[in-house]
Amino acid sequence: MLLKYVATCLFGLEHALGEEIDALGYHRIDTIDGRVTFEGDESAIARCNLWLRTAERVFILVGNCRADTFDMLFEGTRAMPWEQYIGERDEFPVKGHSVKSALFSIPDCQKIVKKAVVERLKSKYGTSWFCEEGVKYQIEFFILKDEAMLLIDTSGIALHKRGYRPGQLAAPLRETLAAFIAQTSRPREDVLFWDPMCGSGTIPIEASLIMTNTAPGIGRSFAAESFPIVGKQTWKAARDEANSVRNTSAHFEAYASDIDPKCVEYAKECVRRAGVLGQVKAFERDALEIRTGGRRGTIVSNPPYGERLLTPEQTEALYKKMGEHYRTLDNWQVYIITSHMGFERLYGRRADRVRKLYNGMIPCNLYQFFKKKEDKK
């Protein structure tokens, strides 16, 4: 059965997410800020949750309707085929968002959607009461400019939570964003990949998952594993496929270093849990003392922004020193993500390319330096 899906992502990652969906063989329908709509069969639920590196969640799109008023939202929701997914005993809580729309009260919208789904299921199952003790189907509505999208969450816990970070440090970088940054830096087998301010080691880990062709969701579970529409055999086939194409012997080397020994110990644990001990080496070192050792290399890093870890003055001083030291590393490429709008001035060089991204709700830029300075015109 052909279904419609919506994969969500951080702002700025839509194009990358769309390309991932294409690579899995599914047909893209539409893209808006933070969302990609596509088509696929039931197996897409399992394969997309396992493989999409930049997606936050994967939803089944139950339907769309106009929602200028509560009556329109109610009637539109009630007209959708909820019985195709939700059984008579199943649980179906509702949550959602409304942006630039006449219906802005989230609690009121929740009540209307819940009531509409109940009325639909009452007419289909011939009952007036639902125990909601079975499989949980998290319904989510998204209303944008008075157009409502009604969805069922198949992921459960957000997909950026791969399962290899047992907790979090003071300024964590989402795994999905780290995967995008790693991919953008073009990791290669013959080039050392180095994050000298690694924190939990997320960027080198995500680079290694890419280079070993490891499905990012292979080590965790998903809400839809209990959905009858997918089935255990479909999940098994998807996991078997993911395990069969994994290449743990890939000749790729990544360094995860940090000046803080606590970060290094935490990074080591994350590397172990991610299953990339063969590719990532974590150790203690000052980022301003790294050397090329005559090797080709790429620095990919998420230094402090001056919001939680360092004062603004300390952060600006660090950026200046980074620029001075990294210019001594022969022709190494450098990729830095930061929210500091004066980064290029402090670093002492204009980036060859700048990509606007969001780390959660914090607007950032990914500064990319990949040309020799003397070659720039």
Side-chain angles (χ1 to χ4, degrees):
M1 180 171 63
L2 195 64
L3 299 173
K4 289 184 179 180
Y5 300 96
V6 173
T8 59
C9 63
L10 294 173
F11 293 144
L13 303 191
E14 297 86 359
H15 180 72
L17 175 56
E19 290 186 334
E20 290 186 77
I21 292 169
D22 293 344
L24 289 174
Y26 302 116
H27 173 62
R28 269 191 279 174
I29 300 172
D30 188 30
T31 301
I32 61 174
D33 287 349
R35 292 170 186 262
V36 179
T37 305
F38 62 101
E39 290 180 328
D41 59 13
E42 296 94 331
S43 69
I45 295 174
R47 296 183 71 234
C48 289
N49 275 294
L50 283 168
W51 278 106
L52 294 180
R53 299 184 190 279
T54 57
E56 291 297 317
R57 293 182 185 274
V58 177
F59 295 91
I60 297 170
L61 175 57
V62 183
N64 301 82
C65 67
R66 188 71 186 173
D68 295 274
T69 66
F70 287 124
D71 283 343
M72 293 176 70
L73 177 61
F74 177 84
E75 294 299 337
T77 301
R78 186 171 63 171
M80 297 175 190
W82 296 100
E83 67 280 359
Q84 290 184 12
Y85 312 101
I86 303 172
E88 186 175 350
R89 299 182 61 84
D90 293 336
E91 181 183 1
F92 49 101
V94 177
K95 63 182 179 180
H97 307 276
S98 180
V99 180
K100 299 178 181 178
S101 299
L103 304 182
F104 57 86
S105 171
I106 301 304
D108 288 336
C109 290
Q110 285 176 291
K111 292 175 184 177
I112 292 297
V113 170
K114 180 74 174 186
K115 183 178 179 180
V117 176
V118 167
E119 291 301 314
R120 172 79 183 198
L121 296 180
K122 281 169 63 176
S123 67
K124 296 298 178 179
Y125 293 126
T127 183
S128 60
W129 183 77
F130 296 93
C131 66
E132 297 199 46
E133 295 175 347
V135 175
K136 180 180 178 180
Y137 291 87
Q138 178 65 63
I139 296 173
E140 185 162 327
F141 61 84
F142 176 62
I143 308 175
L144 175 64
K145 297 179 180 178
D146 302 317
E147 288 288 338
M149 183 180 283
L150 278 297
L151 312 143
I152 292 175
D153 180 16
T154 71
S155 301
I157 297 172
L159 295 180
H160 73 264
K161 296 184 179 180
R162 317 287 205 215
Y164 61 73
R165 294 204 306 206
Q168 67 179 32
L169 298 176
L173 184 72
R174 283 196 188 185
E175 293 89 327
T176 45
L177 181 56
F180 173 79
I181 294 169
Q183 187 71 68
T184 301
S185 70
R186 298 179 297 116
R188 287 149 286 170
E189 289 193 346
D190 59 340
V191 178
L192 177 63
F193 186 101
W194 195 338
D195 182 353
M197 302 180 195
C198 72
S200 59
T202 308
I203 296 177
I205 288 172
E206 291 295 325
S208 297
L209 294 178
I210 292 168
M211 292 301 293
T212 57
N213 201 32
T214 300
I218 196 65
R220 52 159 288 177
S221 60
F222 308 94
E225 290 188 62
S226 62
F227 291 8
I229 192 175
V230 189
K232 292 183 179 180
Q233 281 304 116
T234 301
W235 281 101
K236 183 179 185 303
R239 290 185 183 278
D240 287 347
E241 175 195 29
N243 284 319
S244 70
V245 298
R246 189 180 184 191
N247 179 19
T248 56
S249 61
H251 298 293
F252 173 71
E253 188 174 15
Y255 286 174
S257 64
D258 203 286
I259 196 172
D260 185 344
K262 291 183 180 179
C263 287
V264 172
E265 289 305 309
Y266 184 73
K268 287 180 179 179
E269 177 62 13
C270 292
V271 168
R272 183 191 67 78
R273 290 166 60 102
V276 291
L277 282 169
Q279 289 74 39
V280 182
K281 179 182 179 182
F283 55 92
E284 186 178 342
R285 184 166 300 179
D286 188 332
L288 302 178
E289 295 179 359
I290 64 175
R291 297 289 184 268
T292 67
R295 300 182 61 177
R296 294 178 63 201
T298 300
I299 291 174
V300 188
S301 193
N302 172 40
Y305 299 169
E307 298 194 16
R308 281 183 282 181
L309 296 179
L310 299 178
T311 66
E313 293 76 18
Q314 291 172 323
T315 298
E316 292 186 356
L318 173 63
Y319 290 167
K320 290 178 181 178
K321 292 177 181 178
M322 285 168 54
E324 293 169 359
H325 182 64
Y326 291 174
R327 282 193 292 275
T328 71
L329 302 179
D330 300 329
N331 60 341
W332 277 31
Q333 297 182 354
V334 178
Y335 295 76
I336 302 292
I337 182 171
T338 176
S339 65
H340 198 300
M341 293 299 105
F343 175 77
E344 289 172 298
R345 173 180 55 80
L346 296 163
Y347 189 78
R349 179 182 167 187
R350 291 187 64 83
D352 297 298
R353 184 175 297 168
V354 180
R355 180 70 177 264
K356 187 173 183 178
L357 300 170
Y358 284 82
N359 184 7
M361 297 304 295
I362 303 174
C364 300
N365 284 322
L366 177 62
Y367 297 94
Q368 305 169 51
F369 304 90
F370 43 76
K371 298 178 184 176
K372 290 184 179 180
K373 188 175 181 181
E374 60 268 27
D375 291 341
K376 293 187 68 178
K377 296 180 180 180

